[in-house]
Amino acid sequence: MGEKHTTEVSAVNRTIRIIETLRDLQPAGVTEIANAAGQTKSSVYNHLATLENEGYVIKTNGEYELGLRFLPLGEAARQRLSVYRAARAEIEQLGRETGTNAYLSVEERGLATVIFRHLENEIDLGSIGTTVPLTTSSMGKAILAQLPVERVDEIVDRHGFPRMTESSIVDRGALDEELEQIRQQGFALDKGEHVKRLRGVGAAILGPDGEVRGAVSVAGPERELRGPFFEEELPDAVLDVTNVIELKLMENMSV
Amino acid sequence: MGEKHTTEVSAVNRTIRIIETLRDLQPAGVTEIANAAGQTKSSVYNHLATLENEGYVIKTNGEYELGLRFLPLGEAARQRLSVYRAARAEIEQLGRETGTNAYLSVEERGLATVIFRHLENEIDLGSIGTTVPLTTSSMGKAILAQLPVERVDEIVDRHGFPRMTESSIVDRGALDEELEQIRQQGFALDKGEHVKRLRGVGAAILGPDGEVRGAVSVAGPERELRGPFFEEELPDAVLDVTNVIELKLMENMSV
DNA sequence: GATAATTGTTCTTTAGAACAGAACAGCTGT
DNA sequence: ACAGCTGTTCTGTTCTAAAGAACAATTATC
């Protein structure tokens, strides 16, 4: 068993654990973080000192917090996505005009990551950077419906069917049926599959090459999203927007 | 000289260098990054593999990019600032109503960091997470004017007077005079001190405790920002907004 | 206000990890 | 088909990262 050539840098894994712990606990002290991350005080202390020195962590009267130097990294990560640049303004307009929360998400590592949102009401499905399973949201299903079968297989193998609510899809048969329907109608509905009583309408954004680039969705409470508003108006609005974004993506090609 | 007990974790510093290099070069390959960061191929390879495993780096057909997992870290860093939550909507409105780019920034480690912006024109002074010296921008000067002298000393010691343009403030005497004037009129003007021909109007946001929490500014090209619009209308608008934000910060206290 | 308890910081030691460099493999382009 | 890349694996050595104890500083408790 000396064959396992660990190409991993364990000090980096440690730092990542510390940062993620801090994200959830901030502001927090050395001991608190060490306990939560299952590491020793002295080690955590050294890591925090290193991070602080580079501005990735800030110490304010004895407690640590994440530094603003993480901002440009997150920003660089989403700015590299042309769909982000093309969709931003459209998402805002969509939210304003429909009076719902509007989201832009992309698939990364088998999860839908929210990269932009416009809030109109306070029932929020997740802030920037939140990830949701592809099987339990309108955005996720809209994306899945456009991915090649092999990718769907991969993703399902990796993440399974997380049962977020009692309405969540929990087997492959049901998923395939639903995806087929989504492909036919062009949009996906979420009737409380991710969060109970939270509904959503999503549609995929395709690039000029025909590949999925992400998805747009609007979401809100069951009480507001029902009847023709939920089943016709919103789908129409969402499809209009994805359409505009797709056109923008084509224009960008020629630039 | 064996006395220097290095409390720093050098592997972490290495990873940071790699990440920052990748931020500037993405998409990039192993060799490219190794050269730019002054490290060996094999080491960079191992670090990237570790980061990729955690989703902080993504490999797409042989090239590396920053992963979206950085997004929630940056988001957590700014969400912890109450001024961000209080100011967001006001900044957007300010920008829309004045037809200029509007910014929110806070001081961290002696620099003004842009944490939110609303764009109206394309002459942008920096995206989310950008840092600018406190001495060369309206936001920075507005903040400096409200800091205790000792902090100003510290900051000037650390960062000096970066000469961004020929109008930049380059000595302490001129700075003190300017800060005094800013305190009297309540706002700061930037006449091309950061970027030539780029003007700005900024004002500090004070917390209920009287401490600076950040600054608001609007910015645009010299041609548009001049006369009474630059010297009266915009200052009035910016002061109105900082006032509203300050009131919001007080409300939040009682919650 | 004295003492106990807890947290942050420094120090020392040692196992083992990170690194460099070389070797190999897989592409790309010519 | 071959040359010159790049990415990946491997191996040995050095020096670092980590643990634990000791100390200092701070906070809590009575």
Side-chain angles (χ1 to χ4, degrees):
Chain A
M1 52 195 60
E3 300 315 303
K4 197 74 215 266
H5 237 275
T6 173
T7 137
E8 297 251 320
V9 183
S10 67
V12 172
N13 280 320
R14 240 165 216 273
T15 285
I16 291 175
R17 290 286 304 273
I18 291 170
I19 291 168
E20 291 176 350
T21 306
L22 184 53
R23 175 197 58 198
D24 300 331
L25 263 51
Q26 70 174 334
V30 177
T31 311
E32 196 179 352
I33 297 168
N35 290 338
Q39 302 180 15
T40 59
K41 265 199 311 180
S42 56
S43 181
V44 170
Y45 179 80
N46 288 335
H47 278 258
L48 287 173
T50 309
L51 292 166
E52 190 199 0
N53 206 40
E54 297 286 335
Y56 287 96
V57 146
I58 298 290
K59 198 201 294 186
T60 321
N61 45 311
E63 297 227 290
Y64 292 90
E65 300 180 300
L66 292 184
L68 294 172
R69 293 208 61 177
F70 279 111
L71 269 179
L73 298 180
E75 197 59 20
R78 67 175 176 182
Q79 285 285 357
R80 66 166 217 262
L81 301 166
S82 55
V83 70
Y84 170 71
R85 303 191 302 269
R88 256 193 84 117
E90 303 305 324
I91 299 284
E92 275 185 350
Q93 203 185 333
L94 173 66
R96 269 202 304 274
E97 287 177 359
T98 61
T100 59
N101 291 346
Y103 301 86
L104 172 67
S105 68
V106 300
E107 181 264 325
E108 193 170 282
R109 311 179 87 232
L111 296 168
T113 306
V114 175
I115 62 171
F116 188 69
R117 62 175 176 169
H118 173 88
L119 298 183
E120 285 279 325
N121 58 63
E122 292 309 317
I123 296 108
D124 185 22
L125 73 83
S127 70
I128 302 301
T130 305
T131 56
V132 295
L134 291 173
T135 54
T136 68
S137 64
S138 63
M139 302 184 275
K141 291 189 294 180
I143 290 173
L144 272 181
Q146 299 296 334
L147 288 176
V149 200
E150 314 88 60
R151 289 266 7 240
V152 177
D153 293 341
E154 257 179 54
I155 291 167
V156 166
D157 276 2
R158 186 160 167 194
H159 297 284
F161 294 94
R163 192 190 188 85
M164 308 293 286
T165 71
E166 53 202 13
S167 330
S168 302
I169 295 172
V170 289
D171 67 271
R172 185 60 190 263
L175 178 66
D176 284 337
E177 265 179 50
E178 175 112 24
L179 295 186
E180 183 50 34
Q181 197 194 337
I182 291 165
R183 272 187 292 269
Q184 277 172 23
Q185 63 194 12
F187 61 87
L189 295 181
D190 165 12
K191 299 176 184 173
E193 292 154 39
H194 183 61
V195 174
K196 209 175 171 198
R197 309 201 147 263
L198 181 75
R199 289 186 158 188
V201 181
I205 302 165
L206 301 182
D209 52 4
E211 305 230 317
V212 214
R213 293 295 178 81
V216 171
S217 88
V218 293
E222 206 169 80
R223 181 166 22 143
E224 289 174 23
L225 271 60
R226 59 201 172 92
F229 179 61
F230 179 56
E231 278 161 25
E232 286 159 37
E233 270 186 59
L234 286 181
D236 283 351
V238 171
L239 285 173
D240 276 356
V241 164
T242 54
N243 199 20
V244 171
I245 296 169
E246 285 170 357
L247 290 173
K248 277 198 178 185
L249 286 174
M250 290 190 190
E251 280 172 30
N252 280 3
M253 287 198 76
S254 49
V255 177
Chain B
M1 51 194 58
E3 300 314 303
K4 196 77 215 265
H5 238 276
T6 172
T7 135
E8 298 251 321
V9 184
S10 66
V12 172
N13 280 321
R14 238 165 217 273
T15 285
I16 292 175
R17 291 284 306 272
I18 290 170
I19 290 168
E20 291 177 349
T21 306
L22 184 53
R23 176 198 56 200
D24 300 331
L25 263 51
Q26 70 174 336
V30 177
T31 312
E32 195 179 352
I33 297 168
N35 289 339
Q39 302 180 16
T40 59
K41 264 201 309 183
S42 57
S43 182
V44 169
Y45 178 81
N46 288 335
H47 279 258
L48 286 173
T50 310
L51 292 166
E52 190 199 1
N53 206 40
E54 297 286 334
Y56 287 96
V57 146
I58 299 290
K59 199 201 292 186
T60 320
N61 46 312
E63 298 227 289
Y64 291 91
E65 300 181 302
L66 292 183
L68 293 173
R69 293 206 63 177
F70 279 113
L71 269 179
L73 298 180
E75 197 60 18
R78 68 175 176 182
Q79 284 287 355
R80 66 163 217 263
L81 301 167
S82 56
V83 69
Y84 170 71
R85 303 192 302 270
R88 259 193 82 117
E90 303 305 324
I91 300 285
E92 277 186 348
Q93 202 184 335
L94 172 66
R96 269 202 304 274
E97 288 178 0
T98 60
T100 58
N101 292 346
Y103 301 86
L104 171 66
S105 68
V106 300
E107 181 263 328
E108 193 171 281
R109 311 181 84 231
L111 296 169
T113 306
V114 175
I115 62 172
F116 188 70
R117 63 175 176 168
H118 173 88
L119 298 184
E120 286 278 326
N121 57 64
E122 292 309 316
I123 296 108
D124 186 23
L125 73 82
S127 69
I128 302 302
T130 305
T131 56
V132 295
L134 291 173
T135 53
T136 67
S137 65
S138 62
M139 303 184 273
K141 291 189 294 180
I143 290 172
L144 272 181
Q146 299 295 334
L147 288 175
V149 200
E150 314 89 59
R151 289 269 2 244
V152 178
D153 294 341
E154 257 179 55
I155 291 167
V156 166
D157 276 2
R158 188 161 167 192
H159 297 284
F161 294 94
R163 193 188 187 87
M164 308 294 286
T165 71
E166 53 202 13
S167 330
S168 303
I169 295 172
V170 289
D171 67 271
R172 185 61 190 263
L175 178 65
D176 285 337
E177 263 179 52
E178 175 112 23
L179 294 186
E180 183 51 34
Q181 198 194 337
I182 290 164
R183 273 187 291 269
Q184 278 172 23
Q185 63 194 13
F187 60 88
L189 295 182
D190 166 12
K191 301 177 183 173
E193 292 154 39
H194 183 60
V195 175
K196 208 173 172 198
R197 308 201 149 262
L198 181 76
R199 289 186 160 190
V201 181
I205 301 165
L206 301 181
D209 52 3
E211 305 230 316
V212 215
R213 293 293 179 82
V216 171
S217 87
V218 293
E222 205 170 82
R223 180 164 24 140
E224 289 174 23
L225 271 60
R226 59 201 171 91
F229 178 61
F230 179 57
E231 277 161 25
E232 286 159 37
E233 271 186 58
L234 284 181
D236 283 351
V238 170
L239 285 173
D240 276 355
V241 164
T242 54
N243 200 18
V244 170
I245 296 168
E246 286 171 356
L247 290 172
K248 277 197 177 183
L249 287 174
M250 289 191 191
E251 280 171 30
N252 280 3
M253 289 200 75
S254 49
V255 176

